[in-house]
Amino acid sequence: MRQFLMGCASSLAVLAGATALGSSPAQAWSLEEAAEPYSGSEINVIFLDRPGYRAIIDLLPEFEEKTGITVNYEIVPYENSRERQVLNFTSMGDLTIALVDLVWIGEFAENGWIVPAEEFTADPEITDPNLNLEGFFPLLLNAFGTWNNTVYGLPFDNYSGLLFYNSCMLQEAGFDAPPETWDELLNTYAPKLTDAANNKFAFALQSLRGETQSADSFMRVLWPFGGSLLNDEFRSNLESAESQKGLQFRQDLMQYMPPGIVSWDHAEAVNGLAQGQVAMITEWSSFYSTLVDPSTSTIVDCLKVAPEPAGPAGRLPALGGFSLAVASQAPEDLQKASWLFIQWATSEEIARRYVEAGGVSGRTSIYEEADIKQNYQFVEPMVASWQKGVPEFRPRFPAWPAISEIVAEWGSRMMLGEVTPEAGAKEIGTRMESVLENEGYYDGSKELLQ
């Protein structure tokens, strides 16, 4: 980890230096003038049906008016977004921007589908001298945009796992604050907040088979309990005492969750809280706007937000989100036009408007504003969670999609009681190590990077 962070710092220094080369004076550069050679061009990107994307769509007319560049976007379900992009890249399609999930950065970078940012920051004609890469939360730039010490993408639509809770339900059960630890949630809060006969439950953990199961459910109970998917040698760590404790904890907590929780995705978990069926959920910070919207939530006056509970290893919340990177398949002029959009969409200049429209910025400065902290409950716990985190909360290497399918299958079978956590962990470990062996991680063909 130390070597990874030092490498990222070095890469940042190179990028910052390259940006500074074209920074005299700052007022001499403008987006309008930089975009003149590309006016009339069209760039293409995939968006998701989430608040952060709806927010940037609301702001798009400003960019298009200033630049004359048309941003064509297609809204694709998350579950299909990687496949759609990979197919586009391998067939030399029309995407000029890559939407890069935390767990896709290794795959996209190692396959050469995205362009290192320094190819653009070295060009003062297309790089804003106020780009300020150091203005991103370091954890976000490292985790979402950096691979093997090279920055490729800029953080966009980034999340932290937070505890959203119905304070009215907690107060009725005798609690004036949320649980500080997972143990407290299970043994003190959950029994008093669950009334299955009346369809009321303490907690909901989104666990639908797929990436939701592997990343949002399975991995969420490993790190806080001191476990992990892999050890330093890239062998399975799932049979360790710490990993087993976390996986067994999830089984124990299921008695306080709604029936059929293994078929719940994010939408069902958020709706369960919003409609008063469940008292607490651990969900991405981006769902805050849904939970405070009276048209989608019945608990607006009762909604509170806190950091995810701590485990024996401390508070290590889920880390999720994306970066935007330039697609290498695009012609040079469209690459530059895409870079102009990426800078603008992730800039400090529009950060306030982006947040007010429902997005989550990766910039530090916007969250230092007093009114932002006051008006958005999620800000302080989210910012606190971004001070320390695990970039490899989900492994970011190219092998993750194949491993995710294995974890999703056997993680679901654990929750359904078809296998024990111990037997399921052993099965995942065997299959996962077979994938990693075929990928060349054990014979030295590939570096042990995740």
PDB file of all heavy atoms in Angstrom, residues 5-41:
ATOM      1  N   LEU A   5       0.832   4.259  -2.834  1.00  0.00           N
ATOM      2  CA  LEU A   5       0.524   5.655  -2.579  1.00  0.00           C
ATOM      3  C   LEU A   5       1.695   6.551  -2.964  1.00  0.00           C
ATOM      4  O   LEU A   5       1.506   7.643  -3.505  1.00  0.00           O
ATOM      5  CB  LEU A   5       0.160   5.855  -1.107  1.00  0.00           C
ATOM      6  CG  LEU A   5      -1.164   5.208  -0.680  1.00  0.00           C
ATOM      7  CD1 LEU A   5      -1.371   5.384   0.817  1.00  0.00           C
ATOM      8  CD2 LEU A   5      -2.337   5.807  -1.445  1.00  0.00           C
ATOM      9  N   MET A   6       2.930   6.091  -2.702  1.00  0.00           N
ATOM     10  CA  MET A   6       4.101   6.892  -3.073  1.00  0.00           C
ATOM     11  C   MET A   6       4.186   7.026  -4.594  1.00  0.00           C
ATOM     12  O   MET A   6       4.510   8.089  -5.122  1.00  0.00           O
ATOM     13  CB  MET A   6       5.375   6.246  -2.524  1.00  0.00           C
ATOM     14  CG  MET A   6       5.509   6.371  -1.000  1.00  0.00           C
ATOM     15  SD  MET A   6       6.993   5.545  -0.391  1.00  0.00           S
ATOM     16  CE  MET A   6       8.286   6.530  -1.135  1.00  0.00           C
ATOM     17  N   GLY A   7       3.847   5.939  -5.285  1.00  0.00           N
ATOM     18  CA  GLY A   7       3.878   5.989  -6.740  1.00  0.00           C
ATOM     19  C   GLY A   7       2.853   6.958  -7.278  1.00  0.00           C
ATOM     20  O   GLY A   7       3.109   7.708  -8.223  1.00  0.00           O
ATOM     21  N   CYS A   8       1.657   6.953  -6.659  1.00  0.00           N
ATOM     22  CA  CYS A   8       0.612   7.877  -7.082  1.00  0.00           C
ATOM     23  C   CYS A   8       1.027   9.309  -6.825  1.00  0.00           C
ATOM     24  O   CYS A   8       0.762  10.203  -7.634  1.00  0.00           O
ATOM     25  CB  CYS A   8      -0.692   7.577  -6.337  1.00  0.00           C
ATOM     26  SG  CYS A   8      -1.463   6.052  -6.867  1.00  0.00           S
ATOM     27  N   ALA A   9       1.694   9.553  -5.689  1.00  0.00           N
ATOM     28  CA  ALA A   9       2.154  10.904  -5.374  1.00  0.00           C
ATOM     29  C   ALA A   9       3.159  11.370  -6.409  1.00  0.00           C
ATOM     30  O   ALA A   9       3.147  12.518  -6.858  1.00  0.00           O
ATOM     31  CB  ALA A   9       2.775  10.933  -3.975  1.00  0.00           C
ATOM     32  N   SER A  10       4.042  10.455  -6.823  1.00  0.00           N
ATOM     33  CA  SER A  10       5.021  10.790  -7.847  1.00  0.00           C
ATOM     34  C   SER A  10       4.340  11.133  -9.162  1.00  0.00           C
ATOM     35  O   SER A  10       4.694  12.083  -9.847  1.00  0.00           O
ATOM     36  CB  SER A  10       5.980   9.612  -8.042  1.00  0.00           C
ATOM     37  OG  SER A  10       6.868   9.855  -9.103  1.00  0.00           O
ATOM     38  N   SER A  11       3.331  10.326  -9.523  1.00  0.00           N
ATOM     39  CA  SER A  11       2.595  10.579 -10.755  1.00  0.00           C
ATOM     40  C   SER A  11       1.879  11.906 -10.694  1.00  0.00           C
ATOM     41  O   SER A  11       1.834  12.650 -11.672  1.00  0.00           O
ATOM     42  CB  SER A  11       1.586   9.443 -10.985  1.00  0.00           C
ATOM     43  OG  SER A  11       0.913   9.621 -12.193  1.00  0.00           O
ATOM     44  N   LEU A  12       1.324  12.209  -9.528  1.00  0.00           N
ATOM     45  CA  LEU A  12       0.649  13.495  -9.347  1.00  0.00           C
ATOM     46  C   LEU A  12       1.614  14.646  -9.557  1.00  0.00           C
ATOM     47  O   LEU A  12       1.278  15.660 -10.167  1.00  0.00           O
ATOM     48  CB  LEU A  12       0.059  13.574  -7.935  1.00  0.00           C
ATOM     49  CG  LEU A  12      -1.405  13.144  -7.774  1.00  0.00           C
ATOM     50  CD1 LEU A  12      -1.781  13.191  -6.305  1.00  0.00           C
ATOM     51  CD2 LEU A  12      -2.327  14.022  -8.588  1.00  0.00           C
ATOM     52  N   ALA A  13       2.813  14.487  -9.027  1.00  0.00           N
ATOM     53  CA  ALA A  13       3.804  15.559  -9.161  1.00  0.00           C
ATOM     54  C   ALA A  13       4.138  15.814 -10.626  1.00  0.00           C
ATOM     55  O   ALA A  13       4.264  16.950 -11.072  1.00  0.00           O
ATOM     56  CB  ALA A  13       5.071  15.203  -8.383  1.00  0.00           C
ATOM     57  N   VAL A  14       4.277  14.720 -11.396  1.00  0.00           N
ATOM     58  CA  VAL A  14       4.560  14.868 -12.824  1.00  0.00           C
ATOM     59  C   VAL A  14       3.420  15.589 -13.523  1.00  0.00           C
ATOM     60  O   VAL A  14       3.612  16.508 -14.307  1.00  0.00           O
ATOM     61  CB  VAL A  14       4.784  13.474 -13.464  1.00  0.00           C
ATOM     62  CG1 VAL A  14       4.851  13.597 -14.981  1.00  0.00           C
ATOM     63  CG2 VAL A  14       6.063  12.854 -12.927  1.00  0.00           C
ATOM     64  N   LEU A  15       2.174  15.165 -13.190  1.00  0.00           N
ATOM     65  CA  LEU A  15       1.018  15.785 -13.819  1.00  0.00           C
ATOM     66  C   LEU A  15       0.890  17.240 -13.433  1.00  0.00           C
ATOM     67  O   LEU A  15       0.593  18.096 -14.257  1.00  0.00           O
ATOM     68  CB  LEU A  15      -0.254  15.030 -13.427  1.00  0.00           C
ATOM     69  CG  LEU A  15      -0.450  13.683 -14.125  1.00  0.00           C
ATOM     70  CD1 LEU A  15      -1.569  12.917 -13.447  1.00  0.00           C
ATOM     71  CD2 LEU A  15      -0.768  13.894 -15.590  1.00  0.00           C
ATOM     72  N   ALA A  16       1.116  17.532 -12.163  1.00  0.00           N
ATOM     73  CA  ALA A  16       1.010  18.912 -11.702  1.00  0.00           C
ATOM     74  C   ALA A  16       2.050  19.779 -12.394  1.00  0.00           C
ATOM     75  O   ALA A  16       1.788  20.912 -12.797  1.00  0.00           O
ATOM     76  CB  ALA A  16       1.184  18.979 -10.192  1.00  0.00           C
ATOM     77  N   GLY A  17       3.252  19.222 -12.551  1.00  0.00           N
ATOM     78  CA  GLY A  17       4.302  19.971 -13.223  1.00  0.00           C
ATOM     79  C   GLY A  17       3.960  20.215 -14.677  1.00  0.00           C
ATOM     80  O   GLY A  17       4.167  21.311 -15.209  1.00  0.00           O
ATOM     81  N   ALA A  18       3.400  19.190 -15.327  1.00  0.00           N
ATOM     82  CA  ALA A  18       3.023  19.352 -16.731  1.00  0.00           C
ATOM     83  C   ALA A  18       1.946  20.406 -16.884  1.00  0.00           C
ATOM     84  O   ALA A  18       1.964  21.214 -17.807  1.00  0.00           O
ATOM     85  CB  ALA A  18       2.525  18.015 -17.297  1.00  0.00           C
ATOM     86  N   THR A  19       0.995  20.419 -15.954  1.00  0.00           N
ATOM     87  CA  THR A  19      -0.075  21.409 -16.010  1.00  0.00           C
ATOM     88  C   THR A  19       0.481  22.796 -15.806  1.00  0.00           C
ATOM     89  O   THR A  19       0.085  23.754 -16.475  1.00  0.00           O
ATOM     90  CB  THR A  19      -1.122  21.100 -14.926  1.00  0.00           C
ATOM     91  OG1 THR A  19      -1.627  19.793 -15.148  1.00  0.00           O
ATOM     92  CG2 THR A  19      -2.270  22.094 -14.983  1.00  0.00           C
ATOM     93  N   ALA A  20       1.435  22.932 -14.888  1.00  0.00           N
ATOM     94  CA  ALA A  20       1.978  24.251 -14.570  1.00  0.00           C
ATOM     95  C   ALA A  20       2.716  24.871 -15.749  1.00  0.00           C
ATOM     96  O   ALA A  20       2.831  26.090 -15.844  1.00  0.00           O
ATOM     97  CB  ALA A  20       2.918  24.148 -13.361  1.00  0.00           C
ATOM     98  N   LEU A  21       3.204  24.032 -16.663  1.00  0.00           N
ATOM     99  CA  LEU A  21       3.951  24.564 -17.796  1.00  0.00           C
ATOM    100  C   LEU A  21       3.135  25.543 -18.622  1.00  0.00           C
ATOM    101  O   LEU A  21       3.680  26.448 -19.240  1.00  0.00           O
ATOM    102  CB  LEU A  21       4.417  23.402 -18.703  1.00  0.00           C
ATOM    103  CG  LEU A  21       5.500  22.496 -18.115  1.00  0.00           C
ATOM    104  CD1 LEU A  21       5.766  21.333 -19.065  1.00  0.00           C
ATOM    105  CD2 LEU A  21       6.786  23.275 -17.836  1.00  0.00           C
ATOM    106  N   GLY A  22       1.818  25.351 -18.632  1.00  0.00           N
ATOM    107  CA  GLY A  22       0.991  26.232 -19.445  1.00  0.00           C
ATOM    108  C   GLY A  22       0.148  27.164 -18.610  1.00  0.00           C
ATOM    109  O   GLY A  22      -0.945  27.509 -19.011  1.00  0.00           O
ATOM    110  N   SER A  23       0.647  27.605 -17.456  1.00  0.00           N
ATOM    111  CA  SER A  23      -0.217  28.301 -16.524  1.00  0.00           C
ATOM    112  C   SER A  23       0.057  29.793 -16.415  1.00  0.00           C
ATOM    113  O   SER A  23      -0.294  30.412 -15.434  1.00  0.00           O
ATOM    114  CB  SER A  23      -0.083  27.660 -15.129  1.00  0.00           C
ATOM    115  OG  SER A  23       1.232  27.788 -14.658  1.00  0.00           O
ATOM    116  N   SER A  24       0.677  30.400 -17.396  1.00  0.00           N
ATOM    117  CA  SER A  24       0.993  31.811 -17.250  1.00  0.00           C
ATOM    118  C   SER A  24       0.367  32.643 -18.367  1.00  0.00           C
ATOM    119  O   SER A  24       0.628  32.402 -19.541  1.00  0.00           O
ATOM    120  CB  SER A  24       2.512  31.996 -17.290  1.00  0.00           C
ATOM    121  OG  SER A  24       3.017  31.508 -18.526  1.00  0.00           O
ATOM    122  N   PRO A  25      -0.442  33.643 -18.001  1.00  0.00           N
ATOM    123  CA  PRO A  25      -1.137  33.758 -16.732  1.00  0.00           C
ATOM    124  C   PRO A  25      -2.411  32.926 -16.774  1.00  0.00           C
ATOM    125  O   PRO A  25      -2.888  32.607 -17.860  1.00  0.00           O
ATOM    126  CB  PRO A  25      -1.447  35.251 -16.635  1.00  0.00           C
ATOM    127  CG  PRO A  25      -1.613  35.651 -18.074  1.00  0.00           C
ATOM    128  CD  PRO A  25      -0.672  34.787 -18.877  1.00  0.00           C
ATOM    129  N   ALA A  26      -3.016  32.634 -15.604  1.00  0.00           N
ATOM    130  CA  ALA A  26      -4.179  31.757 -15.560  1.00  0.00           C
ATOM    131  C   ALA A  26      -5.339  32.309 -16.373  1.00  0.00           C
ATOM    132  O   ALA A  26      -6.042  31.583 -17.063  1.00  0.00           O
ATOM    133  CB  ALA A  26      -4.611  31.534 -14.106  1.00  0.00           C
ATOM    134  N   GLN A  27      -5.527  33.641 -16.349  1.00  0.00           N
ATOM    135  CA  GLN A  27      -6.687  34.223 -17.021  1.00  0.00           C
ATOM    136  C   GLN A  27      -6.565  34.165 -18.541  1.00  0.00           C
ATOM    137  O   GLN A  27      -7.521  34.435 -19.264  1.00  0.00           O
ATOM    138  CB  GLN A  27      -6.901  35.669 -16.565  1.00  0.00           C
ATOM    139  CG  GLN A  27      -5.754  36.619 -16.909  1.00  0.00           C
ATOM    140  CD  GLN A  27      -4.734  36.705 -15.793  1.00  0.00           C
ATOM    141  OE1 GLN A  27      -4.624  35.768 -15.007  1.00  0.00           O
ATOM    142  NE2 GLN A  27      -4.014  37.804 -15.702  1.00  0.00           N
ATOM    143  N   ALA A  28      -5.377  33.813 -19.059  1.00  0.00           N
ATOM    144  CA  ALA A  28      -5.189  33.756 -20.504  1.00  0.00           C
ATOM    145  C   ALA A  28      -5.865  32.538 -21.117  1.00  0.00           C
ATOM    146  O   ALA A  28      -6.101  32.508 -22.324  1.00  0.00           O
ATOM    147  CB  ALA A  28      -3.707  33.752 -20.836  1.00  0.00           C
ATOM    148  N   TRP A  29      -6.170  31.533 -20.297  1.00  0.00           N
ATOM    149  CA  TRP A  29      -6.790  30.312 -20.809  1.00  0.00           C
ATOM    150  C   TRP A  29      -8.289  30.382 -20.576  1.00  0.00           C
ATOM    151  O   TRP A  29      -8.745  30.787 -19.504  1.00  0.00           O
ATOM    152  CB  TRP A  29      -6.213  29.096 -20.090  1.00  0.00           C
ATOM    153  CG  TRP A  29      -6.575  27.769 -20.720  1.00  0.00           C
ATOM    154  CD1 TRP A  29      -5.837  27.084 -21.645  1.00  0.00           C
ATOM    155  CD2 TRP A  29      -7.742  26.980 -20.477  1.00  0.00           C
ATOM    156  NE1 TRP A  29      -6.465  25.916 -21.992  1.00  0.00           N
ATOM    157  CE2 TRP A  29      -7.645  25.823 -21.286  1.00  0.00           C
ATOM    158  CE3 TRP A  29      -8.869  27.129 -19.662  1.00  0.00           C
ATOM    159  CZ2 TRP A  29      -8.618  24.827 -21.305  1.00  0.00           C
ATOM    160  CZ3 TRP A  29      -9.855  26.143 -19.680  1.00  0.00           C
ATOM    161  CH2 TRP A  29      -9.718  25.004 -20.495  1.00  0.00           C
ATOM    162  N   SER A  30      -9.071  29.960 -21.549  1.00  0.00           N
ATOM    163  CA  SER A  30     -10.516  29.857 -21.345  1.00  0.00           C
ATOM    164  C   SER A  30     -11.019  28.621 -22.056  1.00  0.00           C
ATOM    165  O   SER A  30     -10.461  28.200 -23.095  1.00  0.00           O
ATOM    166  CB  SER A  30     -11.247  31.097 -21.873  1.00  0.00           C
ATOM    167  OG  SER A  30     -11.253  31.118 -23.294  1.00  0.00           O
ATOM    168  N   LEU A  31     -12.056  28.032 -21.516  1.00  0.00           N
ATOM    169  CA  LEU A  31     -12.651  26.840 -22.118  1.00  0.00           C
ATOM    170  C   LEU A  31     -13.159  27.153 -23.525  1.00  0.00           C
ATOM    171  O   LEU A  31     -12.982  26.350 -24.454  1.00  0.00           O
ATOM    172  CB  LEU A  31     -13.803  26.338 -21.240  1.00  0.00           C
ATOM    173  CG  LEU A  31     -14.573  25.122 -21.757  1.00  0.00           C
ATOM    174  CD1 LEU A  31     -13.655  23.912 -21.887  1.00  0.00           C
ATOM    175  CD2 LEU A  31     -15.748  24.810 -20.820  1.00  0.00           C
ATOM    176  N   GLU A  32     -13.759  28.333 -23.675  1.00  0.00           N
ATOM    177  CA  GLU A  32     -14.303  28.707 -24.978  1.00  0.00           C
ATOM    178  C   GLU A  32     -13.213  28.737 -26.053  1.00  0.00           C
ATOM    179  O   GLU A  32     -13.395  28.186 -27.152  1.00  0.00           O
ATOM    180  CB  GLU A  32     -14.979  30.080 -24.889  1.00  0.00           C
ATOM    181  CG  GLU A  32     -16.257  30.088 -24.052  1.00  0.00           C
ATOM    182  CD  GLU A  32     -16.015  30.319 -22.570  1.00  0.00           C
ATOM    183  OE1 GLU A  32     -14.844  30.131 -22.108  1.00  0.00           O
ATOM    184  OE2 GLU A  32     -16.967  30.681 -21.864  1.00  0.00           O
ATOM    185  N   GLU A  33     -12.092  29.371 -25.742  1.00  0.00           N
ATOM    186  CA  GLU A  33     -11.022  29.468 -26.732  1.00  0.00           C
ATOM    187  C   GLU A  33     -10.354  28.117 -26.976  1.00  0.00           C
ATOM    188  O   GLU A  33     -10.004  27.785 -28.116  1.00  0.00           O
ATOM    189  CB  GLU A  33      -9.992  30.495 -26.272  1.00  0.00           C
ATOM    190  CG  GLU A  33     -10.504  31.930 -26.296  1.00  0.00           C
ATOM    191  CD  GLU A  33      -9.428  32.930 -25.907  1.00  0.00           C
ATOM    192  OE1 GLU A  33      -8.267  32.516 -25.731  1.00  0.00           O
ATOM    193  OE2 GLU A  33      -9.753  34.119 -25.787  1.00  0.00           O
ATOM    194  N   ALA A  34     -10.176  27.355 -25.902  1.00  0.00           N
ATOM    195  CA  ALA A  34      -9.549  26.042 -26.056  1.00  0.00           C
ATOM    196  C   ALA A  34     -10.387  25.127 -26.942  1.00  0.00           C
ATOM    197  O   ALA A  34      -9.849  24.264 -27.652  1.00  0.00           O
ATOM    198  CB  ALA A  34      -9.349  25.402 -24.685  1.00  0.00           C
ATOM    199  N   ALA A  35     -11.701  25.324 -26.902  1.00  0.00           N
ATOM    200  CA  ALA A  35     -12.601  24.434 -27.637  1.00  0.00           C
ATOM    201  C   ALA A  35     -12.838  24.858 -29.083  1.00  0.00           C
ATOM    202  O   ALA A  35     -13.432  24.095 -29.854  1.00  0.00           O
ATOM    203  CB  ALA A  35     -13.937  24.353 -26.908  1.00  0.00           C
ATOM    204  N   GLU A  36     -12.377  26.042 -29.458  1.00  0.00           N
ATOM    205  CA  GLU A  36     -12.663  26.560 -30.806  1.00  0.00           C
ATOM    206  C   GLU A  36     -12.304  25.575 -31.929  1.00  0.00           C
ATOM    207  O   GLU A  36     -13.087  25.376 -32.863  1.00  0.00           O
ATOM    208  CB  GLU A  36     -11.960  27.894 -31.026  1.00  0.00           C
ATOM    209  CG  GLU A  36     -12.679  29.066 -30.370  1.00  0.00           C
ATOM    210  CD  GLU A  36     -11.962  30.387 -30.631  1.00  0.00           C
ATOM    211  OE1 GLU A  36     -10.936  30.377 -31.370  1.00  0.00           O
ATOM    212  OE2 GLU A  36     -12.409  31.408 -30.094  1.00  0.00           O
ATOM    213  N   PRO A  37     -11.121  24.923 -31.866  1.00  0.00           N
ATOM    214  CA  PRO A  37     -10.783  23.998 -32.963  1.00  0.00           C
ATOM    215  C   PRO A  37     -11.715  22.784 -33.036  1.00  0.00           C
ATOM    216  O   PRO A  37     -11.721  22.078 -34.057  1.00  0.00           O
ATOM    217  CB  PRO A  37      -9.350  23.557 -32.626  1.00  0.00           C
ATOM    218  CG  PRO A  37      -8.830  24.607 -31.703  1.00  0.00           C
ATOM    219  CD  PRO A  37     -10.005  25.058 -30.913  1.00  0.00           C
ATOM    220  N   TYR A  38     -12.476  22.527 -31.971  1.00  0.00           N
ATOM    221  CA  TYR A  38     -13.295  21.312 -31.902  1.00  0.00           C
ATOM    222  C   TYR A  38     -14.784  21.626 -31.935  1.00  0.00           C
ATOM    223  O   TYR A  38     -15.612  20.722 -31.777  1.00  0.00           O
ATOM    224  CB  TYR A  38     -12.933  20.527 -30.640  1.00  0.00           C
ATOM    225  CG  TYR A  38     -11.445  20.472 -30.428  1.00  0.00           C
ATOM    226  CD1 TYR A  38     -10.831  21.220 -29.425  1.00  0.00           C
ATOM    227  CD2 TYR A  38     -10.638  19.729 -31.290  1.00  0.00           C
ATOM    228  CE1 TYR A  38      -9.461  21.217 -29.270  1.00  0.00           C
ATOM    229  CE2 TYR A  38      -9.262  19.725 -31.145  1.00  0.00           C
ATOM    230  CZ  TYR A  38      -8.675  20.475 -30.129  1.00  0.00           C
ATOM    231  OH  TYR A  38      -7.318  20.476 -29.995  1.00  0.00           O
ATOM    232  N   SER A  39     -15.120  22.897 -32.140  1.00  0.00           N
ATOM    233  CA  SER A  39     -16.520  23.289 -32.221  1.00  0.00           C
ATOM    234  C   SER A  39     -17.196  22.542 -33.370  1.00  0.00           C
ATOM    235  O   SER A  39     -16.654  22.437 -34.474  1.00  0.00           O
ATOM    236  CB  SER A  39     -16.628  24.800 -32.445  1.00  0.00           C
ATOM    237  OG  SER A  39     -17.982  25.199 -32.504  1.00  0.00           O
ATOM    238  N   GLY A  40     -18.375  22.011 -33.090  1.00  0.00           N
ATOM    239  CA  GLY A  40     -19.096  21.222 -34.087  1.00  0.00           C
ATOM    240  C   GLY A  40     -18.840  19.730 -33.993  1.00  0.00           C
ATOM    241  O   GLY A  40     -19.521  18.940 -34.655  1.00  0.00           O
ATOM    242  N   SER A  41     -17.857  19.334 -33.181  1.00  0.00           N
ATOM    243  CA  SER A  41     -17.564  17.906 -33.031  1.00  0.00           C
ATOM    244  C   SER A  41     -18.524  17.271 -32.033  1.00  0.00           C
ATOM    245  O   SER A  41     -19.193  17.956 -31.252  1.00  0.00           O
ATOM    246  CB  SER A  41     -16.117  17.687 -32.601  1.00  0.00           C
ATOM    247  OG  SER A  41     -15.867  18.289 -31.342  1.00  0.00           O
TER     248      SER A  41
END
